[in-house]
Amino acid sequence: GSTMVIVVINNSPNDKVAAFDVGPEVSRVYPIRTSETENLVKFTGLNVTSGRFTSLLRGRSVTTFTSDQLAQ
């Protein structure tokens, strides 16, 4: 089956909260972050509700969100 991947770059030195609209096919996403102090750190999965989720994006970081297999 298919999965979804989102890659987000926060070039700002400030943390930001971002909202994502990924659609009803996604039920959970799993963040992985690289920053000045983290190297591919895996975090607890985030629930997707009504096709949306929010996440904190640390300053000067790259965060990758991967999904479970997409619902058909």
Side-chain angles (χ1 to χ4, degrees), residues 1 7 10 15-16 20 25-26 29 31 33 35 56 65:
V7 178
N10 182 4
D15 296 350
K16 298 184 180 203
F20 300 89
E25 302 84 9
V26 179
V29 294
R33 186 167 60 224
S35 68
L56 177 69
F65 300 94

Side-chain angles (χ1 to χ4, degrees), residues 40-72:
L40 298 174
V41 175
K42 294 180 181 181
F43 293 91
T44 303
L46 303 172
N47 289 324
V48 176
T49 305
S50 298
R52 295 179 56 87
F53 73 96
T54 60
S55 182
L56 177 69
L57 305 174
R58 293 285 181 203
R60 301 201 194 290
S61 69
V62 177
T63 306
T64 302
F65 300 94
T66 59
S67 72
D68 284 331
Q69 186 169 339
L70 300 178
Q72 298 299 322

Side-chain angles (χ1 to χ4, degrees), residues 4-17:
M4 176 203 64
V5 176
I6 299 172
V7 178
V8 183
I9 300 169
N10 182 4
N11 286 319
S12 168
N14 302 315
D15 296 350
K16 298 184 180 203
V17 175

